[in-house]
Amino acid sequence: MKNIPNYISISRIIMSIALLIPKTFSITFYIIYIYCGLSDMLDGFLARKYKITSQFGAKIDSIADIVFVLISVVKILPLLNLSKGVYVCGIIIIMIKICNIIFGYAHDKKMILPHNIPNKITGFCLFISPLLIQFVDIIIVEFLICILATFSAVYEGLYIRGKV
């Protein structure tokens, strides 16, 4: 039982890579995509519930998150007609997050990737956005994601600096 959350995180890495195979927005794509999202929620839940959290587990979870997000972006982004504002917002968020990582490393001599509530809410909203764009105007989705992700990145910086 001790390693099950880590195995789930590792399976998310494997399934994220498998996401490269099916056609984007196909049934197979959605099945793998939803598995990856659910496994992200499940691994942390099990680790906390059974008190089997670890530094390794947190790192492998973060790596799995990064792999899933990058592959999802590669598959989904080219098919969307996003506004230029989204790309500008994305660059700003990336710059804030890079500064957060650099500051965390310079201050604590380790990479700090917080798993806080704003990051979780933003991650969930990003996760469901490919499902929502079938039903909701993409401009609304863009706006909400940009606001949430910017707040989350700023909050993360304050968290790392010990301000919240």
Side-chain angles (χ1 to χ4, degrees):
M1 179 66 174
K2 181 180 175 186
N3 291 318
I4 289 177
N6 295 344
Y7 294 145
I8 293 171
S9 294
I10 291 166
S11 78
R12 184 163 67 258
I13 294 170
I14 295 165
M15 293 304 284
S16 295
I17 293 167
L19 202 55
L20 291 167
I21 298 167
K23 181 177 178 191
T24 308
F25 303 134
S26 67
I27 296 292
T28 306
F29 174 86
Y30 278 125
I31 290 169
I32 296 170
Y33 184 85
I34 290 169
Y35 170 84
C36 290
L38 292 175
S39 70
D40 186 25
M41 291 184 269
L42 184 61
D43 61 1
F45 170 77
L46 290 174
R48 286 185 297 279
K49 178 175 171 82
Y50 294 106
K51 297 177 179 38
I52 50 176
T53 59
S54 68
Q55 290 287 343
F56 175 78
K59 285 183 179 159
I60 197 74
D61 179 60
S62 293
I63 291 167
D65 291 346
I66 291 167
V67 171
F68 176 55
V69 167
L70 288 176
I71 290 174
S72 295
V73 165
V74 165
K75 288 287 285 192
I76 296 170
L77 205 57
L79 301 179
L80 302 179
N81 187 20
L82 300 175
S83 68
K84 290 178 185 167
V86 170
Y87 293 102
V88 171
C89 184
I91 290 168
I92 291 168
I93 292 164
I94 289 168
M95 289 170 43
I96 293 169
K97 288 192 156 282
I98 289 170
C99 289
N100 291 343
I101 290 169
I102 291 168
F103 180 84
Y105 192 80
H107 187 262
D108 292 341
K109 305 294 184 243
K110 63 181 179 181
M111 188 183 302
I112 301 172
L113 300 168
H115 291 261
N116 53 40
I117 299 296
N119 277 343
K120 290 183 183 296
I121 291 170
T122 302
F124 177 74
C125 290
L126 277 169
F127 170 71
I128 65 167
S129 63
L131 307 170
L132 288 177
I133 59 173
Q134 307 291 332
F135 309 104
V136 179
D137 187 351
I138 195 157
I139 304 232
I140 295 169
V141 176
E142 286 178 358
F143 179 75
L144 291 174
I145 295 295
C146 284
I147 296 293
L148 281 169
T150 302
F151 172 79
S152 178
V154 170
Y155 183 90
E156 181 179 274
L158 295 172
Y159 177 88
I160 289 169
R161 289 162 181 80
K163 306 288 185 187
V164 291

